[in-house]
Amino acid sequence: MSDPRREDPFASHTGPRPRNVVTIPAMSSDSSLSASMGGSILPSRSLMMSSMVVSAAESSQKLNAASSNIAQLRISNMNLHGRDDEIKLLRGKLREMIKKGKEDNNRAAEDDVGSPSSANKSAKKSFNNMILVEGDAGTGKSALISKGLGGPASKLGYILAKGKFDDRMRCPLSGFSDAMANLVKHIEKNRTGKMKMSAALIRDKLQDEFNREELEQIRSVLPECVGLFESSIDERRRTKVALPSLSEAVLERDISFSSLGSALRRRSPAVVTGKEAISRTQFTIRRLLKIICSHLKGLVLFIDNLQWSDKATLELLRSIVLDGEIPSLLIVGAYREDEVPDNLQLASYIQDLEQMNVSITQIKIGNLNADGVCPFVAEALGMDDEDDNVKTLANITHKKTEGNPFFVLMFLISLYDEKLIQYNFGAMKWTWDDDAVNSKIVTDNVASVLVDKMNRLQEDTQKMLMVASCLGASFKVSAIVEVMKNISDGEIRSSMRSSSSSILTGSFLLNEGESFASRDGSVSSFASSIKEFEEEGLVEMDNETGRFVHNQVQSAAFELISPEQRNSFRAKIGSTLLNTLSPDELETNLFEVVGLLNCAASETDTGGERDQLAKLNLRAGTKASDNGAFDTASVYFQAGRDALGSRGWEDDYSTMLDLCSDGANACFLTGDLDTMNELIDEVLSKDIDTVEKYRVSEIKVKSLHAVGKVIESIDAALDFRRQLGLPTPQKKPASKFTIAREYMRVKRLLKKKTAEDIANLPELDDERQEMGQRMNELLIVCAFQVQPTMLPLIIFLLTTTTLKHGLNPSSCDAFAGLGMILCGRLGKLEKGCEMAKAAELIAEQPGMRRITSKTIFVAQSFCYHWTEPLQDTVTPLLEGCQKGLEIGDTDSACSCLVVRSYCLYFTGRPLESIQEELEATIEVMTQLRQDARKMRIVILLATVKKLRGIDTEAGDEKMDSLLATAAATGNFSLAAFVNSMKLEVFVIFQQWEEAIELVQKSGNVRLALTSAFNTVRYTFLQTLTYFKAAQSASGKKRKQMKKCGTATLKVIQGWAKNGNVNVVHYLRILEAELDLLQGNVKKAEESFKAAITSSRRNGFRNDTALAHELSSSFYKAKGDEYW
């Protein structure tokens, strides 16, 4: 009869072991106690012992029917005693993931064209599941996850991919990269049946979806994942663009470290080294995961040792968890509870997710109590836990180890190694002397037990373990062999603890100064040592890759090194790798090599070595920055500056400048503003060319703006332009005459140039002009907030520079901005849209990708709606959002979402649907940390809720709070948004007294709203309010209100005359109200009918309703009760 548990992947295997049945486990090199304790393997002596026991059991099989059970129990399937509830919880989460995957598939099948944006879809879906397991070292966190998720997931066809962080090799994204590497290995190894088909589909989809630049980024961040692409490239070389070889990529990257290339990097405004790099990396990896998971049944991504993770990984995991479009994905993390206080990033990460209402299943495990240790010991020995002898041994073990599962395992192994526990073939069971076991001296550190064990290994094995412990939790055996070939035996032996070197046995000893190079230098020449540390349960081997079975094993191997020699020994390893690795290998292992070299940076005396170390840290910091890991990058940049020391500016000025400039950028992006300011001041204080100060000057402008010091940010940008010797606008409100004069200069330069003529201008090759253009680009953002009249002057300056000196990415801002000014302020709609088209054509050229999303945002938000139906902007804005996410420009991506949301409202999307869309958009912006743009959505959401009669008081409080914030920060743009939507509510509810009061005290809202459609809408509402106020007033006030309304009505008439189809129904409504004001009732009636017809025909449903309401009031006042 079959075992029903085998048919159910979720069947519990954690129940009590049958009593009164003596079973002796058969042990092999790949099945051991390790699976229950995070992967450790029973040592070779135990394996030999097990083999003898199994042989004896098999020989007695005919004599004892019960012996048929002897060889069936495997240590790898040991019960996790006392963890039943936790295992059930884990398997419950796996069930939830399966259910969620089915629901997502059903939802995807139901989605059709015209549904909300992909960004908002992801927000509407539930977040990806997340589990966090916390506990001290050795409590069995990994074992719990493997037992609770690994087996059931495998039976369901799911993949459990594990990665872990290393305390001594804190490389950016290393734990995540490790997990992805294991995922790729699983896919590559299991190319049979459905998995073979899935692997092929994944490769083809990835090849179709990712361009060359994105593939190179994946190569840099997740090098092991490149294997998913390259097979299909070989197969389809004729039809696909092949990836560049890594050596080519390294060569291209190395150019940036020449004196000229380095200077260009620190000066170039086009280099993506800001938060765009973070967003781009996260978005690319999420796309990669989405494709992989779409072709797998499911994926459990397990990241161990999160307490040692870097900020970049936590931010990446956060974005993955919040991305509901990645199907069938379960994120699992494990960390040491006692070390979390030292990692404030991890604690903040967990709190941040909880505040965003992400459901995190947190499981806390500790040591086993005495009752839990007893069955653990009994099962390990294949004996009955009711046996008094077993209970006595378990009590002693618990007392010695405090019930730490890994310590229990090591303690039992040490008892066997010291022959304190032996197998009695006559009695067919294990025997021991309780007094002898009790007298065994054990420290409270399991590492000491492991060190004692390692001290009894062969000399070569110990030395290989020493080297391996410095290379990380996982390592290449070939790297160990290469190190041992190039470091003399005397050097290695002198680095060993005296307790280790004094008891070396079992291997030949080399003469002092002799190296291992006397061997043939192959991995096979060290085969006996490799076999020994594998069989002893210290390392798991997968071909030529080794992995320590537990962090404490790695720590114990590191303890073999003398404390006084550890830094120098690690630096020797780093130096060896630096000199022996190929360029491809060095690029892949750059962080590890530089980290090893930095261990003895303070002991490096020669100037040449320190210069080399500084350049290597610069290279590592740059690579980390490119991958969005700025917290790690700042460490490398600091190490580089320390290597050069106080004479860095004199001895290696170029490298020092790069380290300070890029270091300031990394500190800015990680929030270390004090260090950032110190580095900025250091560079600015040097007597060097102004162009060399560009990088830190740009960071200074950005940082001042980021902390709300917008005026100071403008001052810094203007000051740098003056230092460059470039024309600089004055920081004061510009008069209409000044704006008109500067526009005439632009007009003369434009002459009759078409969009195509502008896009065909030569490239800008003047370094100072390019830097000045970038400063103007930054000024636009600041002026938009606090100094709107400066905005045209800055845009005109950008435009004239482009027309005189050539194109660069800032030229897109120039002509899109010029289109905005021409449409919104000067009323030249056709010419304005032509300039917007020029900006889009420029953005399509090579090297302009970073500005693509922003160009779409400006053109669609501020230009095209003047001549095209407002509904036509919705789809392009969605495309702009997508492009922004792809290139990491989340600012522009979210700006596109903001304008799209307002367009949906203005064109009459049902309020209930709008509310759902806005709430989803807010979640998206929260995920992307776009607080400023989220405010605009919050304003619109409060408006929609008020119109629906939902949370009206809370909405009013929010609006008042935002107005107070705008007043305190001088943010005219924010105040304009709030007041425009407050007026929206007053008009729709026909609260005309409140409306006129708001209009009169709000100031020039139209100026602050620039030329967005919000400007058009506000002008209409403002005019309507004036006419309604005039209708209820008399005398001088009536005249004044009518005059104001007539003036703004002329503005709208001008827009309509110039071809703005979106204001036709506005004009009809206003003409009707003016007719009423003038007493022309019959004409007013005709105008109301025309307003209703035109608003309905043009798709403005809200305005159709407004026209009905106003006409109803008209008929009621007329005495026509029918209407």
Side-chain angles (χ1 to χ4, degrees):
M1 185 174 178
S2 63
D3 186 346
R5 292 179 302 179
R6 295 188 178 182
E7 300 171 5
D8 181 5
F10 295 105
S12 175
H13 293 256
T14 62
R17 186 176 52 83
R19 300 188 184 277
N20 303 318
V21 178
V22 178
T23 55
I24 302 175
M27 307 178 192
S28 64
S29 61
D30 61 348
S31 66
S32 62
L33 271 175
S34 162
S36 65
M37 295 301 101
S40 17
I41 301 176
L42 208 61
S44 62
R45 295 181 180 85
S46 299
L47 291 171
M48 295 168 59
M49 166 196 69
S50 175
S51 299
M52 291 187 291
V53 173
V54 173
S55 298
E58 290 174 345
S59 66
S60 64
Q61 200 168 21
K62 295 180 181 180
L63 301 176
N64 187 356
S67 66
S68 61
N69 295 323
I70 291 177
Q72 291 180 358
L73 180 63
R74 292 292 186 270
I75 297 300
S76 60
N77 289 327
M78 285 184 65
N79 294 323
L80 295 182
H81 301 281
R83 307 282 197 235
D84 293 10
D85 292 340
E86 290 83 356
I87 289 176
K88 289 177 182 177
L89 180 58
L90 287 172
R91 292 177 179 175
K93 299 306 293 185
L94 189 59
R95 289 190 187 94
E96 286 182 18
M97 182 178 78
I98 296 170
K99 181 179 178 182
K100 176 181 180 292
K102 292 179 179 178
E103 291 175 350
D104 287 348
N105 290 336
N106 294 335
R107 186 183 296 111
E110 294 171 359
D111 283 340
D112 52 18
V113 180
S115 58
S117 71
S118 59
N120 290 345
K121 281 183 185 178
S122 66
K124 286 183 177 183
K125 293 183 178 181
S126 58
F127 299 133
N128 284 304
N129 292 314
M130 186 171 199
I131 300 173
L132 292 175
V133 180
E134 59 179 302
D136 294 341
T139 51
K141 300 181 292 295
S142 298
L144 176 65
I145 293 167
S146 297
K147 188 75 172 181
L149 297 174
S154 178
K155 291 179 181 179
L156 290 165
Y158 284 39
I159 297 176
L160 173 63
K162 176 183 176 182
K164 65 190 303 184
F165 284 96
D166 181 13
D167 185 24
R168 293 179 181 82
M169 282 290 184
R170 298 199 180 187
C171 305
L173 299 167
S174 59
F176 183 84
S177 177
D178 191 18
M180 292 298 291
N182 286 324
L183 172 60
V184 173
K185 286 180 183 178
H186 186 97
I187 294 174
E188 295 294 320
K189 280 184 178 180
N190 296 277
R191 291 188 175 182
T192 57
K194 292 184 178 179
M195 182 56 71
K196 180 178 181 180
M197 184 180 296
S198 296
L201 290 172
I202 290 171
R203 288 196 304 273
D204 290 343
K205 186 68 173 177
L206 291 175
Q207 187 65 25
D208 291 336
E209 288 289 325
F210 288 89
N211 60 36
R212 183 188 180 105
E213 180 183 346
E214 292 166 336
L215 294 180
E216 183 57 36
Q217 184 186 9
I218 291 174
R219 188 201 295 276
S220 176
V221 182
L222 306 172
E224 298 293 338
C225 287
V226 176
L228 292 174
F229 298 85
E230 291 180 332
S231 296
S232 60
I233 292 172
D234 293 336
E235 295 166 4
R236 302 161 64 186
R237 188 176 298 276
R238 294 183 180 181
T239 58
K240 294 291 181 183
V241 178
L243 280 168
S245 67
L246 188 53
S247 58
E248 292 174 348
V250 173
L251 181 62
E252 292 175 359
R253 195 174 287 114
D254 282 347
I255 292 175
S256 67
F257 294 95
S258 67
S259 57
L260 175 60
S262 183
L264 290 176
R265 176 182 174 83
R266 67 175 171 263
R267 300 173 187 174
S268 175
V271 176
V272 180
T273 56
K275 63 180 181 180
E276 294 86 357
I278 301 173
S279 301
R280 182 190 59 189
T281 298
Q282 292 176 0
F283 185 74
T284 300
I285 292 176
R286 293 203 311 272
R287 286 174 61 204
L288 176 66
L289 273 175
K290 188 183 301 182
I291 292 172
I292 292 174
C293 291
S294 296
H295 294 87
L296 298 176
K297 281 191 173 182
L299 172 62
V300 179
L301 207 59
F302 171 33
I303 314 294
D304 201 1
N305 292 332
L306 280 176
Q307 74 277 0
W308 296 327
S309 62
D310 59 313
K311 184 177 180 180
T313 299
L314 296 178
E315 290 291 334
L316 173 60
L317 290 177
R318 173 185 180 275
S319 71
I320 292 172
V321 169
L322 295 174
D323 189 342
E325 287 199 319
I326 303 175
S328 301
L329 175 65
L330 175 61
I331 301 291
V332 183
Y335 60 91
R336 296 183 184 179
E337 179 189 13
D338 54 334
E339 296 190 30
V340 170
D342 297 330
N343 189 341
L344 297 178
Q345 291 179 165
L346 177 58
S348 175
Y349 162 77
I350 296 172
Q351 184 180 17
D352 186 27
L353 288 177
E354 289 176 337
Q355 290 177 347
M356 296 180 67
N357 298 320
V358 174
S359 178
I360 302 176
T361 301
Q362 292 186 274
I363 301 175
K364 182 176 181 179
I365 62 175
N367 290 339
L368 300 173
N369 56 27
D371 292 337
V373 171
C374 186
F376 185 97
V377 172
E379 187 173 0
L381 299 178
M383 299 178 68
D384 191 348
D385 54 11
E386 293 295 333
D387 189 314
D388 290 339
N389 291 328
V390 172
K391 290 182 178 179
T392 302
L393 178 61
N395 286 332
I396 296 172
T397 302
H398 182 267
K399 181 180 178 181
K400 298 281 186 181
T401 64
E402 297 184 350
N404 183 278
F406 184 72
F407 205 167
V408 169
L409 173 64
M410 292 298 103
F411 179 71
L412 292 175
I413 291 174
S414 69
L415 292 179
Y416 176 77
D417 287 343
E418 297 175 24
K419 301 186 183 304
L420 296 177
I421 180 171
Q422 301 185 55
Y423 190 76
N424 187 319
F425 285 94
M428 291 293 290
K429 65 178 182 180
W430 296 96
T431 60
W432 57 88
D433 184 313
D434 290 339
D435 292 336
V437 173
N438 196 32
S439 64
K440 177 177 171 60
I441 300 175
V442 179
T443 67
D444 59 358
N445 184 357
V446 69
S448 63
V449 177
L450 288 164
V451 170
D452 290 342
K453 177 181 179 61
M454 293 177 185
N455 283 335
R456 289 187 286 271
L457 303 177
Q458 298 181 78
E459 176 189 10
D460 285 1
T461 305
Q462 290 189 48
K463 292 175 180 177
M464 291 186 76
L465 286 171
M466 288 170 54
V467 175
S469 72
C470 298
L471 295 179
S474 61
F475 52 85
K476 296 285 186 183
V477 174
S478 57
I480 298 178
V481 173
E482 196 65 40
V483 170
M484 296 184 71
K485 282 168 50 183
N486 287 275
I487 300 179
S488 70
D489 179 61
E491 288 180 293
I492 296 181
R493 191 181 299 142
S494 65
S495 299
M496 300 180 75
R497 276 182 180 269
S498 57
S499 59
S500 301
S501 57
S502 63
I503 60 174
L504 291 176
T505 58
S507 177
F508 69 87
L509 297 178
L510 300 176
N511 295 324
E512 187 70 24
E514 187 179 356
S515 75
F516 290 90
S518 57
R519 301 185 179 187
D520 63 15
S522 65
V523 173
S524 61
S525 64
F526 292 88
S528 63
S529 294
I530 297 170
K531 183 178 180 181
E532 184 176 24
F533 63 53
E534 181 180 12
E535 290 183 344
E536 288 295 328
L538 303 173
V539 173
E540 292 174 334
M541 296 299 302
D542 181 9
N543 294 324
E544 289 192 5
T545 300
R547 179 185 293 272
F548 284 104
V549 297
H550 197 279
N551 301 116
Q552 303 222 39
V553 176
Q554 182 186 0
S555 297
F558 191 71
E559 288 293 323
L560 295 175
I561 309 171
S562 170
E564 296 79 14
Q565 299 294 323
R566 285 174 187 168
N567 287 338
S568 60
F569 185 66
R570 295 166 77 185
K572 288 175 186 176
I573 294 174
S575 180
T576 300
L577 295 175
L578 177 65
N579 295 322
T580 58
L581 291 177
S582 68
D584 287 11
E585 293 171 329
L586 179 58
E587 182 66 15
T588 300
N589 298 282
L590 181 63
F591 298 130
E592 291 84 350
V593 173
V594 175
L596 289 167
L597 291 171
N598 283 339
C599 292
S602 60
E603 302 171 12
T604 304
D605 297 326
T606 63
E609 290 180 347
R610 299 185 74 84
D611 289 346
Q612 182 189 43
L613 184 60
K615 287 182 170 65
L616 284 168
N617 273 285
L618 174 60
R619 182 173 172 181
T622 302
K623 181 178 179 179
S625 296
D626 290 342
N627 294 341
F630 290 99
D631 56 331
T632 309
S634 64
V635 174
Y636 288 122
F637 292 136
Q638 180 64 58
R641 295 194 298 273
D642 292 342
L644 290 178
S646 58
R647 293 189 55 80
W649 287 102
E650 291 78 14
D651 295 343
D652 195 346
Y653 144 79
S654 178
T655 302
M656 193 66 171
L657 179 59
D658 284 346
L659 288 167
C660 289
S661 300
D662 288 346
N665 184 58
C667 290
F668 165 54
L669 292 164
T670 55
D672 185 3
L673 300 185
D674 291 338
T675 304
M676 177 202 72
N677 287 322
E678 290 176 5
L679 293 171
I680 290 174
D681 292 342
E682 182 176 351
V683 174
L684 294 181
S685 67
K686 299 300 176 182
D687 186 17
I688 55 179
D689 192 347
T690 301
V691 296
E692 302 283 9
K693 300 178 180 181
Y694 165 76
R695 189 84 174 94
V696 294
S697 297
E698 180 190 29
I699 296 165
K700 183 176 182 179
V701 172
K702 287 182 176 180
S703 63
L704 288 169
H705 182 266
V707 297
K709 298 181 178 180
V710 184
I711 299 298
E712 292 88 337
S713 179
I714 292 175
D715 289 337
L718 295 176
D719 183 58
F720 185 75
R721 281 190 58 89
R722 293 189 192 97
Q723 292 180 38
L724 288 171
L726 300 176
T728 303
Q730 294 183 332
K731 192 192 71 174
K732 65 179 184 179
S735 65
K736 291 182 179 179
F737 172 77
T738 302
I739 293 173
R741 182 192 64 202
E742 295 303 315
Y743 169 65
M744 293 306 299
R745 291 179 180 176
V746 173
K747 188 176 180 181
R748 282 195 294 270
L749 288 172
L750 277 174
K751 297 180 181 178
K752 296 183 179 181
K753 286 185 174 65
T754 64
E756 289 75 13
D757 295 334
I758 294 170
N760 288 324
L761 290 171
E763 291 186 14
L764 175 63
D765 59 2
D766 186 319
E767 189 177 40
R768 288 178 179 265
Q769 291 292 348
E770 184 176 10
M771 293 177 180
Q773 289 286 76
R774 176 57 178 158
M775 284 297 169
N776 277 337
E777 197 178 325
L778 296 175
L779 278 168
I780 287 177
V781 180
C782 299
F784 184 81
Q785 290 183 352
V786 300
Q787 199 66 270
T789 58
M790 273 189 70
L791 191 60
L793 301 184
I794 299 168
I795 291 172
F796 294 155
L797 191 54
L798 272 167
T799 307
T800 54
T801 302
T802 295
L803 293 171
K804 289 180 179 179
H805 300 281
L807 300 174
N808 76 319
S810 300
S811 302
C812 295
D813 265 8
F815 289 99
L818 180 59
M820 176 179 71
I821 299 299
L822 290 171
C823 289
R825 296 199 180 180
L826 302 180
K828 301 180 181 298
L829 307 188
E830 184 178 347
K831 189 64 176 177
C833 290
E834 182 74 6
M835 294 301 99
K837 181 181 176 182
E840 291 185 326
L841 291 174
I842 295 170
E844 293 174 358
Q845 297 183 12
M848 305 291 182
R849 189 164 181 253
R850 76 165 179 86
I851 204 73
T852 305
S853 179
K854 188 176 182 181
T855 302
I856 293 174
F857 160 64
V858 176
Q860 296 294 335
S861 304
F862 303 113
C863 302
Y864 291 145
H865 71 83
W866 290 100
T867 59
E868 299 175 4
L870 184 61
Q871 293 87 339
D872 291 353
T873 65
V874 173
T875 299
L877 284 168
L878 186 57
E879 294 172 356
C881 172
Q882 184 68 20
K883 289 182 181 294
L885 293 175
E886 289 174 2
I887 61 178
D889 185 4
T890 53
D891 288 354
S892 297
C894 289
S895 293
C896 287
L897 278 183
V898 169
V899 177
R900 178 181 180 275
S901 298
Y902 276 87
C903 287
L904 290 174
Y905 169 77
F906 292 140
T907 55
R909 173 77 68 86
L911 293 180
E912 181 179 2
S913 174
I914 283 283
Q915 182 175 334
E916 292 177 0
E917 181 104 359
L918 294 175
E919 289 169 346
T921 302
I922 286 174
E923 290 185 8
V924 171
M925 294 194 177
T926 301
Q927 295 167 22
L928 297 175
R929 303 185 187 278
Q930 289 285 329
D931 293 339
R933 289 160 183 83
K934 185 171 71 175
M935 284 185 187
R936 268 59 172 180
I937 299 296
V938 169
I939 293 168
L940 182 54
L941 179 60
T943 301
V944 169
K945 283 186 173 182
K946 183 146 189 174
L947 293 177
R948 297 188 67 204
I950 300 173
D951 296 335
T952 56
E953 291 185 5
D956 290 340
E957 291 176 1
K958 188 65 182 177
M959 291 291 218
D960 293 340
S961 173
L962 289 173
L963 278 176
T965 300
T969 58
N971 193 331
F972 299 131
S973 175
L974 178 60
F977 265 89
V978 174
N979 286 323
S980 66
M981 298 315 294
K982 284 177 69 105
L983 183 60
E984 183 87 18
V985 172
F986 291 148
V987 169
I988 289 176
F989 287 153
Q990 299 194 37
Q991 296 172 316
W992 302 114
E993 291 183 5
E994 292 85 346
I996 192 61
E997 182 183 355
L998 177 66
V999 166
Q1000 290 177 326
K1001 73 176 184 180
S1002 295
N1004 196 343
V1005 172
R1006 279 195 293 152
L1007 178 64
L1009 292 174
T1010 59
S1011 68
F1013 189 79
N1014 301 62
T1015 303
V1016 177
R1017 180 71 176 179
Y1018 181 83
T1019 306
F1020 160 65
L1021 298 176
Q1022 181 187 36
T1023 307
L1024 181 58
T1025 300
Y1026 281 136
F1027 284 158
K1028 283 295 185 181
Q1031 290 172 15
S1032 61
S1034 59
K1036 186 176 181 181
K1037 185 176 180 182
R1038 180 184 178 92
K1039 230 183 226 189
Q1040 182 185 6
M1041 293 295 101
K1042 180 181 177 182
K1043 180 179 180 181
C1044 291
T1046 304
T1048 52
L1049 175 62
K1050 289 180 180 179
V1051 174
I1052 297 175
Q1053 288 172 333
W1055 293 337
K1057 184 179 180 180
N1058 287 328
N1060 191 330
V1061 297
N1062 299 304
V1063 301
V1064 174
H1065 64 288
Y1066 288 166
L1067 197 55
R1068 298 292 172 262
I1069 293 174
L1070 295 175
E1071 287 172 347
E1073 294 295 338
L1074 181 59
D1075 289 337
L1076 275 179
L1077 184 60
Q1078 294 174 341
N1080 195 336
V1081 177
K1082 185 174 182 181
K1083 192 174 180 181
E1085 185 174 354
E1086 294 175 357
S1087 295
F1088 275 125
K1089 290 179 180 179
I1092 293 170
T1093 301
S1094 60
S1095 58
R1096 182 187 295 117
R1097 182 187 301 121
N1098 292 336
F1100 289 85
R1101 283 181 284 188
N1102 291 346
D1103 295 333
T1104 302
L1106 177 62
H1108 274 295
E1109 287 290 329
L1110 293 173
S1111 63
S1112 176
S1113 299
F1114 160 69
Y1115 284 115
K1116 184 177 181 180
K1118 226 175 99 167
D1120 189 341
E1121 295 296 334
Y1122 176 79
W1123 295 102

